[in-house]
Every structure is written in structure tokens, then in C-alpha cells.
Amino acid sequence: MKTSEKNIERLLLYRRILISLKNGGKTNIYSKQLASLADCTPEQVRRDIMSIGYSGSPVHGYDLKKLINSISEFLDANNLQKVALVGLGHLGRSIIDYFQGRRPKLMIAAVFDRDPDKIDRVMHGCRCYSTEKILEVIPKENINVAIIAVPASGAQGVADLLVQAGIKGILNYAPVKLTLPPDIYVENRDMILAVEKVAYFARKITTEGSCT
Amino acid sequence: MKTSEKNIERLLLYRRILISLKNGGKTNIYSKQLASLADCTPEQVRRDIMSIGYSGSPVHGYDLKKLINSISEFLDANNLQKVALVGLGHLGRSIIDYFQGRRPKLMIAAVFDRDPDKIDRVMHGCRCYSTEKILEVIPKENINVAIIAVPASGAQGVADLLVQAGIKGILNYAPVKLTLPPDIYVENRDMILAVEKVAYFARKITTEGSCT
DNA sequence: AATATATTGTGAATATATTCACAGTGTTAT
DNA sequence: ATAACACTGTGAATATATTCACAATATATT
Ligand SMILES: NC(=O)c1ccc[n+]([C@@H]2O[C@H](COP(=O)([O-])OP(=O)(O)OC[C@H]3O[C@@H](n4cnc5c(N)ncnc54)[C@H](O)[C@@H]3O)[C@@H](O)[C@H]2O)c1
Ligand SMILES: NC(=O)c1ccc[n+]([C@@H]2O[C@H](COP(=O)([O-])OP(=O)(O)OC[C@H]3O[C@@H](n4cnc5c(N)ncnc54)[C@H](O)[C@@H]3O)[C@@H](O)[C@H]2O)c1
């Protein structure tokens, strides 16, 4: 089966839910239960799990530990995958605080900012470099993913540099549409658009009734 | 036509692109150009625009000003729509900084935190209340949208309170799946899942070639 | 005035995603 | 043993989203 973007998103969510259930002492789960926790249908859960080649038992459902392992095998890199963060403002700091150490196979390995006050500071074990070092550090550290957390005005320039340095995936928090080569994967996390979207649906619910 | 979540997302993006083009002095645009800026197809652009009841001319394409107005009429509230923010940490502060004043019809009207040091402080014209005031302030101010920017451990409790206070749409930045009544619209912006997703596709590109 | 051109708007075709429906399976209760 | 049960895995049906393909339109050109 071809795994689409949505499949991947759901698998990532399942894994998070499953890990937390496992930590709570649970050992197995049924598609129906997982579906209810992940806000989707049992059929979707079963198909998604099928798509990664794992299968459960009609009697015990899915073994939590094995399923988590299968999902991880499918989604994660074999070795540690390194991530760069650009922009060490409020958002950047929050990202480091909450991301670092949470996922065993992912690590923020370098931080960049252009503010001289921030350069050479060390946070959560990673040093902040000048953005001028992007072309040097990223290939050296073998980083292929980057998070952009600089103001909108600087984002395109930063993105161009990152691509030039060999980055293949970008998580962009700046509220601009980046223009990049088609072989770069970009995920936009535009806060303003997100609030607008929620506001739209909240309004529909308020004035009309139910919704998505 | 029925407007789906994706239609709304694209319309919001078009509007942002169109506003910035208009500020640059442009007066009209063709579906092809907008599609290329929004990373979609011209047919999608035309259908989306059709769906809100606007139409362009086969010769001049779409009039920027009129199109922006039509989209806004479709997407925005008639009056100011008020938003609450819960959690005034790094992320919360960044959200206020970058959101407030950006959209004419949306405004963060109240901020809540449980840290006594933050309560009663005023930022960008909005006062920080104790979370205990949620049930009082939200109905009084007629707020129907909320942004959650507290740590994962507190998010579900905060969400329950918000729903009780009458909130209909939640933008959740905490990395937990919230369990809420089905008539509440929830948009999750989980940073960890987002990085994992980008890392997955970046890896696919790196090892295989092209991608989504 | 006729022709060529570029674009919109949209029905129809296609592709993708989701849901339905049920056979196959091991377990438990009788 | 056998029947009843609750679940998985999955082909088929359905629903949704996207793309194709082209008539209709207004202008520019000759
Ligand atoms: N999508 C979201 O969820 C979300 C939430 C909050 C903020 N944001 C966005 O994230 C961005 C950063 O927000 P913030 O609150 O951290 O801002 P901030 O002003 O606190 O920090 C920005 C940082 O980027 C650095 N910087 C600026 N230009 C740079 C450049 N060209 N190269 C390298 N570094 C540069 C600055 O020195 C500063 O350290 C903004 O665009 C904001 O809109 C997004
Ligand atoms: N999705 C994203 O893009 C993204 C990015 C960064 C951080 N985050 C998440 O956002 C959350 C906040 O991050 P941060 O860096 O601002 O954290 P922070 O520790 O700087 O701030 C958290 C704030 O919430 C307040 N708080 C804690 N519990 C509360 C409660 N029960 N009720 C009300 N207020 C409470 C604290 O007093 C503090 O002011 C975390 O869950 C983090 O994982 C998400």
C-alpha cells in the first residue's frame, strides 16, 4: 500500500497514544479503542496498521509493545536523525525546551541565530551558531531537517540557505509561504492561519450547530 | 458547494498571498499565478473561488481588491471575534507578540495563567487573569475561541474548563490528544508530531528521491 | 470585421480516502 | 464438543477531492 501524508500523521499519533497507554500498564488494545482515542474509525486504524505490515489477533487485538516497535521501525530512522533550529527567540526557546530528549531518534543538533548576544550560548546541550555558519555546520553534522522560527521577514532567506546546505525537510513557523525547490518537503505551521481557521469553525458551530 | 476544511485552509492562504500582492501594488491576478504561489493547481483555485460565489473575468482574471473582500466576507465574522489565550510562557508570549493586531476581525481579548507572578500583568493591551477566572471572564467577554499554550499535563484540565465556559473552537499547542465533546472544533498543533513528520519525509527524500 | 489568444467556469473523468459488510479466527461458556 | 462471541483483515461500495478537457468570453491583432 502507498502511505499518504495522512497515514503518516495518524501513525505518529497512534504511536504517541500507544506509548502513553503502555506507560500506564496496558499490554494490548483493539482497533475500536485506539480509534476512539485517535478520533478516527476502527477501519482506518486497521488499514493503517495493515499498511505497515503488522497484524494483530482477532482475540487479543494488537500487542502494544510489538505494535509500537513496528510503527517505530516504519517511521524512524535507523540511526539518530539530526535537526537544526534557526531562531532562538521565544518560540525557538520553547521548541528546544519541549522537544529535546522527547524522541529517541531525533535530536536538535545545532541552533542558529543572527543576534550576536545569542551566538555561542549553549542550551540543552546545543550550541548556538551564527547563521553564517549554516553552510558549514549542517553538512558537517549531517543534518537534513530544519525548523524555522525567525520572523517572517527573514524566513525565505534562511530557507534558501538551509536548502543550499542540504536540508531536505523544513518545519516553518514563520507566517510566510516559502518558495523552494519541489524536492524539499515543507510543513507550514502558521499560527495566524491556524487561529483564523479555528475561529471560522468555532463561529460556524456557534451560529449553526455541529461541524467537522 | 460544500466547503471542506481544506477549502477553508486554501482560502485563508490565498487571502494572505493576495493581501501581500495588493500591498505590492498589484491589482489583478490569474488562477495560474495564484496557484503557483499557493502550491496548488489553477483548477483548485478557480473552484475554491467559485465556491465563495466570486467570479473573475476571462480576460483580466480576478480583481485583487474585490477578491480579498469576497474571501473576507466569507471567512470572517461580521464583528470582532474574541480569542482567549491560556498559558503565558515562552510560547504564549510569542503568540501574543505575533498575533495581536495582525487580523482586523480577530483579537486576543483575555489571557489566563496560573502563575501568580503573571496574573494581573498587561501585555499588548490584554490583562492576564488567573485561570480561576475562566468561567467568569469568557462568557462575559463573549469569547468563543481559545488557544492552549500550557504544558501537556495541564492541557486537558484547561480544555474542560474552556468548554464549560462556552468555548467552541480550540487551537491546542500542547502535545496531548484532548478528549472533548464532538461539537467542539479542535485543531492540534503538536510540535513533536510535526517534527517527526517532517523528519520522515526528509528521510524519504534523502534516501529515495522525490516525494509529496 | 474576422481571427487568434488567453483565460474563466464547469461537467465529466479520474484518483484518493473512507466506510461497509462479512468471511475467517481463536476463546469462552455451555 | 459445539455454539456464541468479539475481533481482525480485506474486497467491494461509497464518498470526497482533484484533474482533465472544453465551451464561453472578452480582448488584441491583422
Ligand atoms: N506558528 C506558530 O505556532 C508560531 C507561534 C509563535 C510565533 N511564531 C512565529 O515564529 C517566529 C519567531 O517568533 P518569536 O516569538 O520566537 O520571535 P522573537 O522575536 O522572540 O525571536 C526571533 C529570533 O530570530 C532571530 N532572527 C531574526 N532574524 C533572523 C535571521 N534572518 N536569521 C537568523 N535569526 C534571526 C532573532 O535574533 C531572534 O532571536 C515569528 O515569525 C512568529 O510569527 C509562530
Ligand atoms: N506546537 C508548537 O508549536 C509548540 C511549540 C513550543 C511549545 N509547545 C508546547 O506549548 C506548551 C507551552 O510551552 P512554553 O514553552 O510556553 O512553556 P512554559 O513553561 O514557558 O510556559 C507554560 C506556561 O503555562 C502556565 N501554566 C502551566 N500549567 C498551567 C495550568 N494548568 N493552567 C494555566 N496555566 C498554566 C505556566 O505558568 C507558564 O506560564 C508546552 O506544552 C509545549 O510543549 C508547542
Side-chain angles (χ1 to χ4, degrees):
Chain A
M1 182 217 182
K2 210 166 59 75
T3 41
S4 70
E5 214 161 322
K6 284 197 169 176
N7 292 139
I8 301 300
E9 281 177 16
R10 279 198 301 261
L11 285 167
L12 288 163
L13 179 59
Y14 299 158
R15 174 166 69 176
R16 233 249 305 279
I17 292 169
L18 296 169
I19 288 173
S20 111
L21 290 172
K22 179 161 160 281
N23 290 341
K26 223 169 165 6
T27 62
N28 58 284
I29 193 170
Y30 299 109
S31 61
K32 208 192 272 195
Q33 303 177 294
L34 182 50
S36 131
L37 292 167
D39 273 347
C40 62
T41 66
E43 293 84 1
Q44 255 171 345
V45 168
R46 296 206 294 272
R47 280 206 194 281
D48 288 337
I49 290 176
M50 240 178 39
S51 80
I52 62 166
Y54 184 74
S55 57
S57 127
V59 180
H60 304 109
Y62 301 97
D63 181 279
L64 270 189
K65 193 153 164 257
K66 286 183 189 160
L67 178 52
I68 293 170
N69 284 342
S70 288
I71 296 179
S72 294
E73 219 166 276
F74 184 83
L75 293 174
D76 290 344
N78 293 325
N79 311 313
L80 189 69
Q81 192 173 2
K82 292 182 182 176
V83 179
L85 168 66
V86 189
L88 197 48
H90 280 300
L91 179 62
R93 225 161 306 182
S94 174
I95 289 172
I96 296 193
D97 282 354
Y98 279 92
F99 186 80
Q100 204 66 312
R102 293 298 193 91
R103 296 299 314 151
K105 294 301 187 76
L106 287 171
M107 168 196 190
I108 297 177
V111 181
F112 301 91
D113 202 297
R114 68 164 181 198
D115 178 352
D117 286 352
K118 286 168 184 155
I119 293 167
D120 289 335
R121 277 173 54 182
V122 174
M123 301 192 69
H124 285 80
C126 55
R127 178 158 150 236
C128 181
Y129 299 93
S130 157
T131 40
E132 284 162 19
K133 294 280 179 73
I134 285 179
L135 287 174
E136 175 191 323
V137 175
I138 285 182
K140 197 181 70 193
E141 294 276 348
N142 197 27
I143 297 171
N144 68 351
V145 177
I147 305 170
I148 295 183
V150 303
S153 56
Q156 181 68 52
V158 165
D160 292 337
L161 259 180
L162 289 169
V163 169
Q164 206 190 326
I167 288 291
K168 294 297 177 195
I170 292 179
L171 176 54
N172 174 39
Y173 282 99
V176 270
K177 184 79 193 43
L178 301 173
T179 303
L180 295 172
D183 67 329
I184 305 295
Y185 183 86
V186 180
E187 175 85 7
N188 290 296
R189 284 295 154 113
D190 187 314
M191 177 199 46
I192 296 173
L193 294 182
V195 177
E196 290 179 322
K197 182 178 164 193
V198 174
Y200 175 84
F201 286 107
R203 192 146 29 80
K204 287 206 99 171
I205 291 168
T206 309
T207 61
E208 287 173 26
S210 122
C211 143
T212 303
Chain B
M1 180 216 184
K2 210 167 59 77
T3 40
S4 70
E5 215 161 323
K6 283 196 170 175
N7 292 138
I8 301 300
E9 280 177 16
R10 280 197 301 261
L11 285 168
L12 287 164
L13 178 59
Y14 299 159
R15 174 166 67 176
R16 232 248 307 278
I17 292 169
L18 295 170
I19 289 173
S20 111
L21 291 173
K22 179 161 160 282
N23 290 340
K26 223 168 166 0
T27 62
N28 59 285
I29 193 169
Y30 299 109
S31 61
K32 208 193 272 192
Q33 303 176 294
L34 182 51
S36 131
L37 292 167
D39 274 348
C40 61
T41 66
E43 293 84 1
Q44 257 172 345
V45 168
R46 296 206 293 273
R47 280 207 194 279
D48 288 337
I49 289 176
M50 239 178 38
S51 78
I52 61 165
Y54 184 73
S55 58
S57 128
V59 180
H60 303 110
Y62 302 96
D63 181 278
L64 270 189
K65 195 155 160 253
K66 286 182 189 162
L67 178 52
I68 293 169
N69 285 342
S70 289
I71 296 179
S72 294
E73 218 166 281
F74 183 84
L75 294 173
D76 291 345
N78 293 324
N79 312 313
L80 188 68
Q81 193 174 1
K82 293 182 181 177
V83 179
L85 168 67
V86 188
L88 197 48
H90 280 299
L91 179 62
R93 223 160 310 181
S94 175
I95 288 172
I96 296 193
D97 282 354
Y98 277 91
F99 186 79
Q100 204 66 313
R102 292 298 194 91
R103 295 299 316 152
K105 293 302 187 77
L106 288 170
M107 168 194 190
I108 297 178
V111 181
F112 300 91
D113 202 296
R114 68 164 183 200
D115 179 351
D117 287 353
K118 285 169 185 153
I119 293 167
D120 289 334
R121 277 173 55 182
V122 175
M123 301 194 69
H124 285 79
C126 55
R127 178 157 151 235
C128 181
Y129 298 93
S130 156
T131 39
E132 285 164 17
K133 293 281 178 76
I134 284 179
L135 286 175
E136 176 191 323
V137 175
I138 285 182
K140 197 181 68 191
E141 293 276 347
N142 198 26
I143 297 172
N144 68 350
V145 177
I147 306 171
I148 295 181
V150 303
S153 56
Q156 181 67 53
V158 164
D160 291 338
L161 259 182
L162 289 169
V163 169
Q164 206 190 324
I167 288 291
K168 294 297 176 194
I170 293 179
L171 177 54
N172 174 39
Y173 282 100
V176 271
K177 184 81 190 43
L178 300 174
T179 302
L180 294 172
D183 67 330
I184 305 295
Y185 182 86
V186 180
E187 175 85 8
N188 291 295
R189 283 295 153 111
D190 188 314
M191 176 196 49
I192 297 172
L193 294 181
V195 177
E196 290 179 323
K197 182 178 164 192
V198 174
Y200 175 84
F201 286 107
R203 192 147 29 80
K204 286 207 98 172
I205 292 169
T206 310
T207 61
E208 289 175 23
S210 125
C211 143
T212 305

